[in-house]
Amino acid sequence: MNSISLLLIFTITFATSCGLPLSMRNDRVSKSVETRQFASTDPTFSTYISSFERIAIEKTGDTSFRIGDIPINFGDTENPHFQGVCFEYSDGSKEVIIKKEWWDSADENYRESLLFHELGHCRLNREHDNTLIPSNDGDKKLSMMSAVIVNSNEYSQNKEAYLTELFTKDIQLLLSAFSL
């Protein structure tokens, strides 16, 4: 493999990474300030929030499930490699920040994959799970919570299995989808 190919693989991998910043608490970026950047959510994310809540209710059976007071907005993720981030503030409040440039260039499946991943951190208190399963057509992620976001194609092909894993941590549908 030549150096251009390696650089391309590195760039693609980290271009859609949730990332591993220095100041972390359970894979959420800890902020020493007490005030969130935003008090409300950008309307762009309303349909994604509704979908996340509907799927959570379906998967968990918790009819009262809501994302709660976690604003989602476009802004500075504070790291050029992070396309999205879950910030947790010293007062315990949280918010999700998404890079607008990335969002504008991503398709719907990729957007949902990233946003659901970040809500996995902020609302579900999930940490990164980088478990990979070898496959004939490349390693497969066994979690929506992989530090490198599940790409659009993989997500759309295995959406039901990834969503089941996200909300229940049950990997059986993913194993079945990957013929394992």
Side-chain angles (χ1 to χ4, degrees):
M1 191 175 286
N2 64 32
S3 60
I4 292 174
S5 296
L6 287 173
L7 180 61
L8 181 61
I9 289 170
F10 178 82
T11 302
I12 290 170
T13 298
F14 287 99
T16 55
S17 177
C18 174
L20 298 171
L22 296 175
S23 181
M24 297 291 291
R25 184 181 318 132
N26 295 330
D27 288 330
R28 290 178 293 279
V29 179
S30 298
K31 305 278 275 183
S32 59
V33 296
E34 289 192 22
T35 308
R36 291 186 305 214
Q37 298 174 61
F38 300 95
S40 60
T41 294
D42 184 304
T44 302
F45 301 107
S46 296
T47 57
Y48 296 93
I49 293 168
S50 295
S51 180
F52 187 85
E53 291 174 341
R54 179 184 49 76
I55 295 165
I57 290 168
E58 174 189 311
K59 299 291 183 189
T60 67
D62 178 0
T63 57
S64 65
F65 185 97
R66 300 292 178 269
I67 70 158
D69 187 22
I70 303 172
I72 304 168
N73 289 281
F74 295 116
D76 182 4
T77 61
E78 300 185 9
N79 184 310
H81 300 295
F82 298 176
Q83 307 312 321
V85 67
C86 170
F87 285 126
E88 182 172 359
Y89 295 87
S90 58
D91 67 354
S93 64
K94 301 172 189 173
E95 71 184 333
V96 173
I97 301 297
I98 304 291
K99 270 190 190 166
K100 178 102 168 86
E101 302 80 33
W102 180 87
W103 186 267
D104 289 343
S105 66
D107 68 26
E108 287 302 309
N109 285 314
Y110 222 179
R111 290 173 178 174
E112 185 173 282
S113 179
L114 175 66
L115 188 55
F116 282 19
H117 171 97
E118 295 307 336
L119 286 171
H121 289 310
C122 274
R123 174 55 179 87
L124 303 174
N125 297 312
R126 296 277 314 264
E127 296 183 25
H128 284 142
D129 179 347
N130 295 316
T131 306
L132 297 173
I133 296 294
S135 168
N136 291 339
D137 56 342
D139 291 345
K140 303 292 186 186
K141 293 174 180 71
L142 268 187
S143 178
M144 280 285 295
M145 296 310 298
S146 175
V148 176
I149 306 304
V150 176
N151 70 47
S152 178
N153 205 25
E154 194 70 35
Y155 182 67
S156 66
Q157 290 176 1
N158 302 292
K159 185 173 180 173
E160 183 66 24
Y162 275 118
L163 292 173
T164 297
E165 183 280 328
L166 176 64
F167 291 102
T168 68
K169 298 183 184 177
D170 184 346
I171 62 169
Q172 292 308 308
L173 282 177
L174 281 169
L175 291 173
S176 179
F178 302 143
S179 301
L180 301 171

